[in-house]
Amino acid sequence: MAICHKRHGGVDAVSVEDRRVKRLPREVREKQILDAAVRVFSEHGYHEASMDEVSEVAGVSKPMIYAYLGSKEDLFAACIRREAGLLLEAIVAGVDATVAPDMQLWMGLKAFFEFVGGNKQSWRVLHRQVISQGGPFSDEVLAMRSRAITLVDALLVGVATKRGMDEHAQKSTEAMSAALVGASESLADWWLDHPAVPTRTVVAWLMNLVWMGFGDLVEGNVWSPAEH
Amino acid sequence: MAICHKRHGGVDAVSVEDRRVKRLPREVREKQILDAAVRVFSEHGYHEASMDEVSEVAGVSKPMIYAYLGSKEDLFAACIRREAGLLLEAIVAGVDATVAPDMQLWMGLKAFFEFVGGNKQSWRVLHRQVISQGGPFSDEVLAMRSRAITLVDALLVGVATKRGMDEHAQKSTEAMSAALVGASESLADWWLDHPAVPTRTVVAWLMNLVWMGFGDLVEGNVWSPAEH
Amino acid sequence: MAICHKRHGGVDAVSVEDRRVKRLPREVREKQILDAAVRVFSEHGYHEASMDEVSEVAGVSKPMIYAYLGSKEDLFAACIRREAGLLLEAIVAGVDATVAPDMQLWMGLKAFFEFVGGNKQSWRVLHRQVISQGGPFSDEVLAMRSRAITLVDALLVGVATKRGMDEHAQKSTEAMSAALVGASESLADWWLDHPAVPTRTVVAWLMNLVWMGFGDLVEGNVWSPAEH
Amino acid sequence: MAICHKRHGGVDAVSVEDRRVKRLPREVREKQILDAAVRVFSEHGYHEASMDEVSEVAGVSKPMIYAYLGSKEDLFAACIRREAGLLLEAIVAGVDATVAPDMQLWMGLKAFFEFVGGNKQSWRVLHRQVISQGGPFSDEVLAMRSRAITLVDALLVGVATKRGMDEHAQKSTEAMSAALVGASESLADWWLDHPAVPTRTVVAWLMNLVWMGFGDLVEGNVWSPAEH
DNA sequence: AATGAATGAGAGTTCATTCAT
DNA sequence: CATGAATGAACTCTCATTCAT
């Protein structure tokens, strides 16, 4: 009876044979569980998801989940942490900090959209399930969102400072960053429904929308209702 | 919970006297219930909200809720429909279709932010609770979102056409609208945490961010990574 | 499957007809539930007892139990409170405060043993299940025990004072009371296994054991190892 | 729990070095386990105690516990047996069978209270956790209790016989013994909360309460309600 | 000899939903 | 019209117990 220690990875639960492979080391089991949890949470959302389904998909009994990852809330938080970490890593890795700010933004957005395109489940877990909940996960995801906004903010502030942005406009950069992040998220969702559009294109659209506007703003080229 | 052994200690939307007013016409009861539901859903979110609390807050027994508004899901959908209708109404009412497109966008955004500022519960129900849910409410809210995006799209397309937007850019207007709506939502959330900022200001920020960029875009003044 | 399609088989506290009597007023249901709980707790002890069995015996669904009496702990506390109240009431009602102290003790012990003899389940719940638990019920029952000890103590102190008990002996009355209560409890348990013995007899034994000794003590007629 | 995701943060009875000492002879392991079990059971009670905690405190893996001591119930019974044996040994060893009966009782009670004072955990396991449980441990502990009662009974009977106790009183000795044991236990518990009282004193109190009364009883100097 | 890994089974609890009045 | 009373179904979480190594 040759027991195959084949592929552990893959969200696709575990094959029947793999199920027979017992006594896996803790790390592997944790990964299995997290993979399954991301999948289940992304499909049903936090509340509709049941630990039973997670354990089924993971091919692991519930007590193992509780032993390794803790409560449902803990498990969800672990998912968020992992996926958010991957997303931010991808963005940071995609940006060359030595280039001009607009190129940095471009690269960051591109990395972001590429991640979303390549990890739809991750994105769903991060975006769809978290923003709304008033629960304790907000912490996890809002922290990520804050980091993202901060990143953008730093970029904008850097640009603004360099170009001599006036104080009032400077104070607005945080709001702008929030708006930009929201626009990116919304566009990412739109994009999930229009997969034919190439990544480059959608990112270029967003860049043009926000970057040119921001450039005008910095140049003092503002729009005002008073003038109309 | 009416038969809960614990102290009620919660919020009571109706006074003792109101409770004595029985045999109210259906309309009034429905409004009572919907008001309570919006309040409860906005506070706890769909899943954490309980029908018991809704009935308590409404001062109406649960069977009445089921008789008038149907299941929990139906009730939530009714909330969404009503609040979304109010929001769109407010926006439409705030826009003068005879003025220039940029002014129209300005007026629309202003109406939107004013609504959010004045109806925080409504906004919470609409935004925070709905985007995430993969459930059947998406229909309701996505429909609203689509209408909003369509409105913006029409505006942008109008502008583009007038100014002679090239085809490629034209195809992007839908995406742009999605991004704009997302930016608005995100900014509205940010604003809820920074109530000191006047409505005018936050709207102006957003206008500057997106309108100027859009203007540049239409003028063919595009940003492109190739040039950098 | 968690779904319990089991037949109710086993102990049935209510007849089939009674089961059909639905929509009973809250009071009645609460009594039903408490009766069943006392029975189940007295049979299996707190921890081994399950809410399922309580609900079965009560002929009431579990949600009703939770709605009316709260958690398992609350339910147990309610049992203790009710039974302890009955016991103390019985004792107090059985004692004529105008007679001599020894008669009072006699009457109190008699009332106590009569209650135990007539309410074995109550006694089991009170005694067997509570003393040991370090949980939150101790409060309930230890309070009762304290009241009992205090009653006895007052009696002894009264006697002692009247007869001129020396100080050292006086300080010991609390300990004596504790011992007396313990002796009574233990004897009650013994008695449960020897039901042939009449109440009068067992009480007389106890009276003789402790009262005569106490009398000697008060008279200064003490035993001391030094003398032997 | 060795594989618990939460911080261990608990009590560790064995040092790191001890943990490294593997391949211990069976006796030593059994003692380690029993010591830990007594400690854990005395702290949390039978039901609240978990095998996980026992294994943690013992520094021994759970399968070892099952291999050496059997099920949780078996383990508890083993604890009771050991501790009860020690208690009875202490009592027997403390009594000089050649002295007068009252001195024997005095010595036995003294030994008992000394044991309780010096082995509070043992006492808690024996008394607090066992009396209440309706489970299978009753056997173990009730056996011990029976032996204790028998001891006392023999003493009393001896006295009675010697002094010519009448038949009715003789039949009562068993009940008296039960009462005495209960009084002792209750007083021991009281004493645990009043550690300032010297052992001698508390024992003297009890002796005076019961011995003098018993003496009177034997002498036919009885109390009777009829006379009052 | 010794244990990390694993689970079946069942506990308490809650909630949307519906009769019977 | 209006509701107190009632429950089926499911969920999260825990624990004693045992393999496989």
Side-chain angles (χ1 to χ4, degrees), chain C residues 174-187:
Chain C
E174 188 187 327
M176 299 299 227
S177 306
L180 173 52
V181 169
S184 305
E185 289 169 350
S186 183
L187 192 52

Side-chain angles (χ1 to χ4, degrees), chain B residues 3, chain C residues 14-15 17-33 58-60 64 68:
Chain B
I3 50 174
Chain C
V14 276
S15 75
E17 283 160 69
D18 285 349
R19 289 205 180 228
R20 306 220 162 208
V21 177
K22 311 243 164 171
R23 316 291 142 168
L24 293 182
R26 179 173 180 142
E27 283 178 15
V28 180
R29 282 288 191 228
E30 279 191 355
K31 190 181 175 326
Q32 273 184 16
I33 294 170
V60 162
M64 286 266 70
Y68 284 166

Side-chain angles (χ1 to χ4, degrees), chain C residues 47-48 102 106 128-129 132 145 172 174-175 178-179 182-183 186-187 190 205 208-209 212-213 216 221-223 225 228, chain D residues 47-48 102 106 128 132 145 172 174-175 178-179 182-183 186-187 190 205 208-209 212-213 216 221-223 225 228:
Chain C
H47 285 287
E48 302 285 17
D102 52 354
W106 163 264
R128 304 220 157 143
Q129 301 310 328
S132 61
R145 217 160 178 270
S172 70
E174 188 187 327
S186 183
L187 192 52
W190 176 88
W205 287 342
N208 275 295
L209 180 65
M212 298 305 286
D216 284 323
N221 188 9
V222 301
W223 181 96
H228 293 71
Chain D
H47 284 285
E48 304 284 14
D102 53 353
W106 161 264
R128 301 215 160 148
S132 61
R145 222 164 173 266
S172 71
E174 189 187 328
S186 183
L187 192 53
W190 177 90
W205 286 343
N208 275 294
L209 181 64
M212 298 305 287
D216 284 321
N221 188 11
V222 301
W223 182 99
H228 294 71

Side-chain angles (χ1 to χ4, degrees), chain A residues 85-102:
Chain A
L86 290 176
L87 171 53
L88 280 180
E89 261 178 41
I91 293 178
V92 169
V95 172
D96 177 356
T98 66
V99 301
D102 52 353

Side-chain angles (χ1 to χ4, degrees), chain B residues 184-199:
Chain B
S184 305
E185 290 170 349
S186 182
L187 192 52
D189 274 351
W190 177 90
W191 188 42
L192 287 182
D193 295 332
H194 301 75
V197 180
T199 314

Side-chain angles (χ1 to χ4, degrees), chain C residues 76-128:
Chain C
F76 189 71
C79 290
I80 297 299
R81 237 187 327 261
R82 191 179 76 167
E83 302 304 319
L86 290 175
L87 171 54
L88 280 180
E89 262 178 38
I91 292 178
V92 169
V95 172
D96 177 356
T98 66
V99 302
D102 52 354
M103 270 310 285
Q104 284 189 40
L105 184 56
W106 163 264
M107 293 169 92
L109 288 176
K110 195 140 164 293
F112 166 71
F113 277 88
E114 270 161 1
F115 181 91
V116 170
N119 303 68
K120 301 188 180 180
Q121 284 180 2
S122 302
W123 172 245
R124 248 179 230 120
V125 159
L126 288 177
H127 182 54
R128 304 220 157 143

Side-chain angles (χ1 to χ4, degrees), chain C residues 39-92:
Chain C
R39 178 167 158 191
V40 171
F41 284 136
S42 82
E43 275 172 9
H44 306 313
Y46 176 78
H47 285 287
E48 302 285 17
S50 80
M51 296 300 268
D52 271 306
E53 188 174 354
V54 172
S55 89
E56 262 177 48
V57 172
V60 162
S61 71
K62 273 194 295 178
M64 286 266 70
I65 300 180
Y66 282 90
Y68 284 166
L69 276 313
S71 72
K72 187 184 185 185
E73 214 169 290
D74 293 339
L75 177 61
F76 189 71
C79 290
I80 297 299
R81 237 187 327 261
R82 191 179 76 167
E83 302 304 319
L86 290 175
L87 171 54
L88 280 180
E89 262 178 38
I91 292 178
V92 169

